[in-house]
Amino acid sequence: MKILLLDAYNLIYRAKSGFTKGDYPVIYNFFRGIRPLVERFDPDKVYFVLEGNPKFRNSISSGDYKSNRPAQSRVFHEQKANIISLVKNCLPFTSIKHPELECDDTIATLTSIHMKKGDDVTIVSSDTDFIQLLNIFKENFRIYNPVKKKFIECPDYDYVVWKALRGDNTDNITGIRGIGDKTAEKICRSSSLLKETLEDREKREIFERNVNLIRLVDFSDNISQAEIVVGTKDFDKLKNAFESMGFDSMIKEKSWDKYCNTFKKLQGENNVVSF
């Protein structure tokens, strides 16, 4: 079975770029962009993976984790909520989240579950945290960056160790002072250099904290903790919503038929959740 894992918030935030006309540009860009992704990867099952509240990471970082992210406007949050509602109610995707973990952890867990089943798994996201999974899963697994429009290559060093050493500005994770990309890679490739670096107590504490922040959680044994909504196919409802928002180009007869046909094979037993 071919599995497509969509990083929901990553794709929604990406939809801020593109067409800016009208009152609902984020919604328009999102739904205009999701169809070609599904068409390209031709999956049997699609997961729309949502964010939970990462309590343990907030605790480890004393609230600093991702605290550098800019606040989004009310209008954006309203459009984001509308997108999530339409996906859940109109498209045959399985929406899923863990209430106390991040989307990244849920995607890592679903990857682990489906790889053990022998499925073919593709993640769609520009989030670099998923690169660590390439160190674990070697076959029938790939990560597609929709911004760069290319697949991500597996690094030949331990990605979590590398990132823990140099930090991650995107998530407000401070690295070890004086260690940048090249130095971190050099240390990763030498067990003696890594041991020497971590003999310093302060550096070791920073490193260990960062590993706990960066390494993704696999909760396969507790998958029942996830909140799951199996989407229903309701293209009429989706078309009415598009019409009310003025997405005329998307609901023209030929365009609309093509749009709907992309998702039709995701119906029926292929959309039943079974872990």
Side-chain angles (χ1 to χ4, degrees), residues 4-13 15 26-35 37-38 45-50 78-97 227-239 241-242 245 247 250 256 259 263 266 271:
L4 186 62
L5 303 175
L6 302 177
D7 182 343
Y9 281 21
N10 184 272
L11 291 172
I12 293 172
Y13 279 95
V26 178
I27 299 174
Y28 178 80
N29 289 329
F30 174 84
F31 282 101
R32 186 171 178 267
I34 203 73
R35 189 201 67 77
L37 284 173
V38 173
K45 184 177 185 65
V46 177
Y47 289 96
F48 190 62
V49 189
L50 299 162
E78 288 175 351
Q79 291 188 67
K80 181 179 73 173
N82 203 339
I83 289 169
I84 294 170
S85 177
L86 287 170
V87 168
K88 287 181 176 180
N89 289 290
C90 302
L91 291 180
F93 295 176
T94 297
S95 295
I96 181 171
K97 78 170 184 178
E227 298 172 0
I228 300 172
V229 175
V230 179
T232 57
K233 176 181 64 69
D234 194 338
F235 296 132
D236 288 339
K237 184 174 183 178
L238 186 62
K239 185 176 183 180
F242 285 179
M245 290 183 279
F247 301 167
M250 292 180 67
W256 186 244
Y259 196 92
F263 304 102
L266 298 172
N271 201 38

Side-chain angles (χ1 to χ4, degrees), residues 113-151:
I113 289 171
H114 282 286
M115 290 301 291
K116 288 175 183 176
K117 288 184 172 186
D119 294 332
D120 184 288
V121 177
T122 300
I123 295 172
V124 176
S125 178
S126 60
D127 189 335
T128 59
D129 285 333
F130 294 119
I131 293 175
Q132 62 188 272
L133 298 178
L134 291 168
N135 289 142
I136 302 171
F137 304 109
K138 303 298 183 181
E139 295 182 2
N140 301 322
F141 171 69
R142 52 191 178 173
I143 302 168
Y144 180 74
N145 184 323
V147 176
K148 295 182 178 180
K149 292 181 170 46
K150 67 177 185 179
F151 292 101

Side-chain angles (χ1 to χ4, degrees), residues 56 103 106 151 220 257:
F56 87 94
C103 162
T106 303
F151 292 101
S220 299
D257 287 344

Side-chain angles (χ1 to χ4, degrees), residues 46-243:
V46 177
Y47 289 96
F48 190 62
V49 189
L50 299 162
E51 292 286 355
N53 179 17
K55 289 185 177 180
F56 87 94
R57 289 190 177 95
N58 288 331
S59 176
I60 291 171
S61 66
S62 300
D64 288 338
Y65 182 64
K66 294 188 176 181
S67 63
N68 58 336
R69 300 283 179 91
Q72 300 296 325
S73 69
R74 175 185 58 81
V75 171
F76 171 77
H77 283 295
E78 288 175 351
Q79 291 188 67
K80 181 179 73 173
N82 203 339
I83 289 169
I84 294 170
S85 177
L86 287 170
V87 168
K88 287 181 176 180
N89 289 290
C90 302
L91 291 180
F93 295 176
T94 297
S95 295
I96 181 171
K97 78 170 184 178
H98 189 294
E100 296 185 0
L101 291 172
E102 292 182 82
C103 162
D104 301 17
D105 301 308
T106 303
I107 286 179
T109 298
L110 291 170
T111 298
S112 177
I113 289 171
H114 282 286
M115 290 301 291
K116 288 175 183 176
K117 288 184 172 186
D119 294 332
D120 184 288
V121 177
T122 300
I123 295 172
V124 176
S125 178
S126 60
D127 189 335
T128 59
D129 285 333
F130 294 119
I131 293 175
Q132 62 188 272
L133 298 178
L134 291 168
N135 289 142
I136 302 171
F137 304 109
K138 303 298 183 181
E139 295 182 2
N140 301 322
F141 171 69
R142 52 191 178 173
I143 302 168
Y144 180 74
N145 184 323
V147 176
K148 295 182 178 180
K149 292 181 170 46
K150 67 177 185 179
F151 292 101
I152 304 303
E153 294 184 4
C154 178
D156 59 354
Y157 51 82
D158 190 313
Y159 187 78
V160 171
V161 171
W162 176 80
K163 193 174 247 191
L165 289 167
R166 52 90 69 191
D168 184 354
N169 291 334
T170 302
D171 290 340
N172 204 33
I173 299 174
T174 303
I176 297 172
R177 185 183 295 274
I179 296 182
D181 291 359
K182 292 183 179 179
T183 302
E185 183 175 339
K186 183 179 179 181
I187 294 172
C188 279
R189 296 182 186 280
S190 170
S191 57
S192 59
L193 271 179
L194 180 61
K195 182 179 179 181
E196 180 184 333
T197 301
L198 300 183
E199 284 175 352
D200 182 292
R201 180 179 176 181
E202 182 180 356
K203 291 179 180 178
R204 185 173 66 255
E205 288 178 351
I206 292 171
F207 176 80
E208 290 176 349
R209 179 204 63 192
N210 288 355
V211 167
N212 286 323
L213 289 171
I214 294 165
R215 193 180 301 282
L216 301 181
V217 175
D218 182 348
F219 59 93
S220 299
D221 293 336
N222 297 294
I223 192 65
S224 61
Q225 296 175 353
E227 298 172 0
I228 300 172
V229 175
V230 179
T232 57
K233 176 181 64 69
D234 194 338
F235 296 132
D236 288 339
K237 184 174 183 178
L238 186 62
K239 185 176 183 180
N240 289 337
F242 285 179
E243 188 174 11

